[in-house]
Amino acid sequence: MTALLLLPLLLPLALPPLARRALDRLAPVAALWAVTGCAVVLAGSSLAALGSFVLIGLFKVPLFAALGELIHPLRTASDLVVLPAAATSVGALAVCGWTLVRSVLRQSRAFRAARTEAGSGPSAGDLCVVDSPRPDAYALPGRPHRIVVTTAMLRSLDGPEREALFAHERAHNDGHHHYFLAAAELAAHCHPALRPVRGTIRLAAERAADEAAAASVGDRRLTARAIARAALAGQSARSAHPGRPDFAPAATTGPVPQRVQALLAAPLAPRTGRAIAALLIACTALSCAASVTGLADVHHRVEVAQGDERP
């Protein structure tokens, strides 16, 4: 049982390299869905495994064993293994919960500030213009969704490039990419190995928006030029928006040279990434199956200790 519950804690270590390969081999939208889904399942499975260790450790304490109405000793591995694992799991869950709460509070404040700023400037449809010397543009979720762009960014691009930039940000809102970024942030707080995956998911969201913008304006080179010029303008002015929440995607984020190169290259063949997709599915299924089986085994052992079932 202990070895089985260790599997969901070890499998997230394999996701960062698999995620990078998926982004290279799959279409951006497919990579975004596959990597985010795998990260969420691996995060949930690791939390379930930690919770199982905590439950086992609690039932080793006479007070909690009495509260759980255990009339027989709980059959587990040696206490020299179970009790340290339970204590470590308690600490890990406490750290995860604390960092997650801090992140939620920080992101909530940033989101409210960004919505307030977007509502203070002139708007035309879903486009909000903010008077600022910092070149910046990003997609802001909410009701309704907004595209926020500063006056400095508008001055940095010509007319066609602005349309490509707006198409990129509009693709973020139409694709609900903020949900993927929020899920990546959540998964990163559940397991340390999933933290590098945040960057891969953000890059996948930007690549997906790049492709949608190129299809919208009908010119891949124009889209690549608009993204490159917007990123250069933002970098020269150090335009990272202090109030922008992390789940608000922007065309100027991520490794822009890699994105520009992908736009200028030919699109991927439909069947290129079957092997990496199969590996992601296998990793997700194995982690989920291990955590479910481990939880079921813990439940069975508790029922045996309660005298409800035979060993």
Side-chain angles (χ1 to χ4, degrees), residues 237-255:
R238 295 182 180 180
S239 63
H241 197 285
R244 181 205 303 166
D246 292 340
F247 57 81
T252 56
T253 59

Side-chain angles (χ1 to χ4, degrees), residues 129-300:
V129 179
V130 176
D131 187 13
S132 173
R134 294 175 176 268
D136 198 14
Y138 58 95
L140 185 63
R143 294 185 179 180
H145 292 329
R146 298 291 189 188
I147 297 172
V148 181
V149 60
T150 64
T151 52
M153 179 62 79
L154 292 177
R155 289 192 295 266
S156 301
L157 306 176
D158 60 27
E161 290 169 349
R162 293 176 188 173
E163 292 302 319
L165 180 67
F166 297 157
H168 174 98
E169 304 300 352
R170 194 167 285 115
H172 279 311
N173 283 333
D174 292 342
H176 303 287
H177 292 167
H178 51 282
Y179 289 126
F180 295 92
L181 299 182
E185 184 71 18
L186 175 64
H189 289 287
C190 295
H191 198 291
L194 298 177
R195 292 173 186 170
V197 181
R198 282 182 298 190
T200 305
I201 292 176
R202 180 171 289 276
L203 178 56
E206 295 302 330
R207 289 274 308 278
D210 291 343
E211 294 294 332
S216 177
V217 302
D219 190 336
R220 298 178 68 86
R221 296 189 69 86
L222 170 62
T223 305
R225 187 172 72 248
I227 291 169
R229 290 192 62 184
L232 285 174
Q235 183 180 16
S236 63
R238 295 182 180 180
S239 63
H241 197 285
R244 181 205 303 166
D246 292 340
F247 57 81
T252 56
T253 59
V256 175
Q258 182 179 344
R259 292 166 51 200
V260 170
Q261 184 179 7
L263 277 170
L264 297 178
L268 291 172
R271 298 183 179 181
T272 305
R274 282 188 172 181
I276 194 67
L279 284 175
L280 285 173
I281 293 172
C283 183
T284 304
L286 183 59
S287 179
C288 188
S291 61
V292 170
T293 304
L295 285 171
D297 186 64
V298 171
H299 181 263
H300 173 71

